[in-house]
């Protein structure tokens, strides 16, 4: 497709490093993206936040995201490469704007795109001519074209003339020391060929590998497919774990044996439930959208039900284990190890620990927790704090349940002094003794 003079100017500004980047939403996705832009591309980046506290922290060089140390952020702030603001009129300074806001589910497991709509409305009045807008928030196919575009297009901004719009799904894995934003391939799909070209050029400035696809809808579905693939396979192994418990077979041994096959098998592991922003949420986005086409994603919905049931299964297994010791869950003191959704991070988004703890409390258990990464959190309006992992705490607990397998926890101390340990993450050595049960 031929380029107009105006979008050639935008292309030139992206290419020569004079473009100013804007990031809307400085959370787990937006802040790492802004840092990657500034570090690798060397362009000025303005972060837009609705939270004055967050904006102030960024401008002081203080990071609140675990994957971005303050020592990495502060020099970029000092050089003027990154700044944060709550003033959305400054969108007018930006040549490229990336929207990185949450897309959760509502109470009916339906997509909640209200944050994305609010962000689009916030930026729309201030978008300059010759601007590229990308959406990184995970969503269902059609969102970029059907919802975002109408909110930002106007008489002055015409798609693929002086307004360019694309979807490029975030692929952030909190705590992953190997795969970061810059070396994880980036899928890009624009609304129109020229939007795809400019978005590809933009992301290529600071990401090693960019993978363009034909449409924004294809890019949107690619992200859902990635996480549905994981959701379905985790559901399979969670179901097998329940069967193995009845058959008195160690599911972890079965997985270890199966993964020795060098082809045709990929290991997935059972757990107390799904956590993080993506895997528990994304399948429902596609299931909801599929109904618009009179199609029911039965396989995906079944996987969702299996995974959602895991906290209940964990509760039942713990009740049974306590019963074998002549104890009831009601009145028992339960120590939870790890409330983050996975090991060695402080991220509690959709953590299965929240559900498990709530279920245990409903049955009358006295629940306390220890997590070296999560000092405190709020549940049902109540602020709860991590307690020290001491011998006295372990001895006083009727049961210890491991919900996140943080590597810094002294599990030898746990097995030595706890009367009952329920390991849902396979972090305890196999020969730890009869006081340890596994998922």
């Amino acid at each position: 497709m031929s380029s107009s003079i105006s979008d050639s100017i935008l292309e030139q500004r992206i290419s020569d490093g004079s473009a100013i980047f804007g990031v809307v939403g400085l959370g787990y996705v937006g802040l790492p993206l802004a840092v990657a832009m500034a570090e690798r591309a060397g362009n000025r980046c303005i972060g837009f936040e609705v939270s004055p506290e967050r904006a102030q922290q960024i401008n002081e060089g203080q990071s609140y995201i675990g994957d971005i140390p303050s020592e990495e952020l502060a020099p970029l702030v000092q050089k003027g490469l990154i700044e944060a603001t709550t003033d959305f009129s400054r969108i007018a300074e930006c040549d490229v704007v990336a929207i990185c806001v949450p897309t959760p589910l509502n109470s009916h497991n339906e997509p909640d795109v209200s944050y994305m709509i609010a962000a689009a409305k916030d930026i729309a009045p201030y978008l300059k001519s010759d601007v590229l807008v990308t959406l990184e928030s995970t969503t269902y196919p059609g969102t970029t074209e059907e919802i975002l575009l109408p909110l930002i297009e106007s008489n002055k901004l015409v798609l693929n003339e002086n307004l360019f719009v694309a979807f490029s799904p975030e692929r952030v894995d909190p705590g992953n020391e190997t795969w970061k934003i810059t070396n994880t391939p980036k899928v890009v799909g624009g609304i129109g060929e020229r939007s795809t070209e400019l978005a590809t050029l933009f992301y290529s400035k600071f990401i090693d590998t960019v993978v363009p696809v034909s449409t924004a809808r294809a890019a949107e579905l690619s992200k859902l497919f990635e996480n549905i693939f994981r959701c379905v396979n985790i559901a399979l192994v969670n179901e097998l774990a329940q069967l193995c418990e009845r058959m008195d077979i160690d599911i972890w041994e079965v997985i270890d044996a199966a993964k020795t096959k060098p082809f045709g098998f990929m290991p997935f592991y059972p757990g107390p439930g799904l956590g993080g922003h993506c895997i528990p949420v994304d399948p429902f986005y596609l299931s909801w959208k599929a109904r618009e086409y009179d199609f029911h994603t039965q396989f995906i919905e079944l996987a969702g039900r299996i995974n959602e049931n895991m906290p209940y299964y964990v509760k039942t297994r713990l009740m049974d284990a306590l019963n074998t010791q002549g104890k009831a869950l009601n009145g028992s003191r339960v120590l939870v190890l790890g409330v983050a959704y996975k090991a060695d991070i402080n991220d509690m988004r959709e953590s299965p620990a929240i559900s498990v703890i709530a279920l245990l409390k409903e049955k009358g258990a006295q629940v306390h927790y220890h997590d070296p990464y999560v000092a405190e959190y709020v549940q049902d309006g109540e602020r709860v704090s991590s307690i020290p992992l001491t011998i006295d705490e372990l001895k006083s607990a009727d049961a210890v349940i491991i919900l996140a397998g943080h590597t810094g926890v002294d599990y030898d101390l746990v097995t030595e002094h706890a009367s009952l340990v329920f390991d849902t993450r396979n972090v305890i050595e196999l020969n730890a003794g009869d006081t340890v049960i596994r998922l």
Side-chain angles (χ1 to χ4, degrees):
M1 178 180 291
S2 62
S3 303
S4 67
I5 294 175
S6 62
D7 75 57
S8 294
I9 294 172
L10 174 59
E11 179 178 358
Q12 182 62 39
R13 288 179 63 80
I14 294 173
S15 298
D16 67 18
S18 62
I20 296 176
F21 299 156
V23 175
V24 180
L26 295 175
Y28 286 93
V29 175
L31 184 57
L33 183 69
V35 168
M37 290 175 179
E39 277 187 335
R40 294 285 295 269
N43 293 64
R44 280 184 58 213
C45 181
I46 304 173
F48 295 87
E49 255 296 333
V50 294
S51 166
E53 293 78 16
R54 278 192 167 190
Q56 181 178 347
Q57 279 184 268
I58 295 300
N59 289 331
E60 292 173 351
Q62 298 297 317
S63 174
Y64 41 79
I65 300 298
D67 284 350
I68 302 296
S70 296
E71 295 77 15
E72 183 179 2
L73 174 65
L76 299 172
V77 173
Q78 292 165 4
K79 293 175 183 177
L81 291 174
I82 289 182
E83 63 175 308
T85 182
T86 58
D87 181 5
F88 279 79
S89 69
R90 295 192 62 192
I91 286 287
E93 301 175 35
C94 300
D95 300 282
V96 180
V97 179
I99 299 174
C100 307
V101 294
T103 46
L105 296 171
N106 65 21
S107 59
H108 300 290
N109 274 350
E110 296 172 339
D112 177 2
V113 293
S114 60
Y115 296 97
M116 187 271 292
I117 291 173
K121 289 180 177 179
D122 284 339
I123 69 173
Y126 308 111
L127 289 170
K128 62 191 284 188
S129 182
D130 313 321
V131 65
L132 168 66
V133 178
T134 70
L135 177 63
E136 295 223 356
S137 308
T138 304
T139 187
Y140 56 83
T143 302
T144 308
E145 188 168 0
E146 297 166 8
I147 296 182
L148 176 61
L149 177 61
L151 290 171
I152 61 176
E153 195 173 24
S154 65
N155 292 332
K156 295 180 180 179
L157 294 176
V158 180
L159 180 66
N160 289 320
E161 291 186 12
N162 59 356
L163 170 67
F164 307 91
V165 183
F167 181 80
S168 183
E170 57 88 3
R171 282 174 161 174
V172 174
D173 185 16
N176 193 322
E177 295 299 326
T178 301
W179 295 104
K180 303 289 189 178
I181 283 182
T182 54
N183 66 345
T184 300
K186 197 87 166 77
V187 173
V188 173
I191 306 177
E193 184 179 343
R194 188 57 178 155
S195 287
T196 302
E197 290 173 354
L198 289 172
T200 300
L201 175 65
F202 161 62
Y203 284 109
S204 296
K205 294 291 289 182
F206 59 95
I207 291 177
D208 296 341
T209 304
V210 178
V211 183
V213 295
S214 61
T215 63
R217 293 164 66 88
E220 289 162 338
L221 185 53
S222 73
K223 175 56 189 275
L224 296 184
F225 181 41
E226 292 171 16
N227 288 323
I228 289 168
F229 171 80
R230 295 181 65 193
C231 176
V232 167
N233 281 280
I234 291 170
L236 171 63
V237 77
N238 277 335
E239 188 168 64
L240 285 178
Q242 296 176 56
L243 174 62
C244 282
E245 187 258 327
R246 295 191 184 191
M247 299 178 71
D248 194 25
I249 298 173
D250 185 342
I251 182 63
W252 306 97
E253 182 183 15
V254 171
I255 296 169
D256 285 344
K259 73 181 184 183
T260 61
K261 185 180 180 181
F263 54 90
F265 181 82
M266 179 182 296
F268 289 83
Y269 300 95
L274 292 182
H277 175 65
C278 292
I279 302 178
V281 174
D282 293 358
F284 293 101
Y285 265 68
L286 188 59
S287 296
W288 177 84
K289 185 65 175 178
R291 291 196 288 272
E292 182 180 316
Y293 296 85
D294 196 26
F295 190 92
H296 293 275
T297 54
Q298 299 177 60
F299 201 68
I300 297 171
E301 291 166 18
L302 174 60
R305 288 197 297 272
I306 292 171
N307 290 327
E308 286 181 334
N309 185 62
M310 288 307 292
Y312 295 88
Y313 175 69
V314 167
K315 176 202 67 176
T316 300
R317 285 285 307 276
L318 184 61
M319 290 175 65
D320 291 343
L322 284 167
N323 285 342
T324 63
Q325 296 188 349
K327 299 177 182 178
L329 181 57
N330 185 15
S332 287
R333 182 180 176 89
V334 178
L335 176 59
V336 169
L337 297 186
V339 294
Y341 84 81
K342 69 173 184 176
D344 299 339
I345 63 171
N346 64 357
D347 194 343
M348 286 192 65
R349 290 176 298 171
E350 307 295 331
S351 173
I354 297 173
S355 297
V356 172
I357 290 172
L359 291 170
L360 297 181
K361 287 184 174 179
E362 283 178 9
K363 291 298 182 180
Q366 303 170 27
V367 184
H368 305 270
Y369 87 91
H370 169 79
D371 192 313
Y373 293 88
V374 182
E376 62 179 18
Y377 72 98
V378 176
Q379 186 170 20
D380 299 327
E382 176 187 359
R383 186 174 298 278
V384 290
S385 300
S386 176
I387 64 173
L389 186 62
T390 65
I391 293 174
D392 287 343
E393 286 292 345
L394 290 168
K395 286 184 174 180
S396 65
D398 295 292
V400 175
I401 180 169
I402 301 169
L403 298 180
H406 296 313
T407 55
V409 173
D410 187 348
Y411 295 111
D412 289 337
L413 185 76
V414 173
T415 56
E416 183 179 353
H417 297 287
S419 59
L420 173 64
V421 180
F422 184 12
D423 180 8
T424 72
R425 296 293 189 178
N426 195 36
V427 294
I428 302 293
E429 292 184 5
L430 190 60
N431 59 353
D434 295 336
T435 59
V436 178
I437 62 170
R438 300 174 190 278
L439 191 65

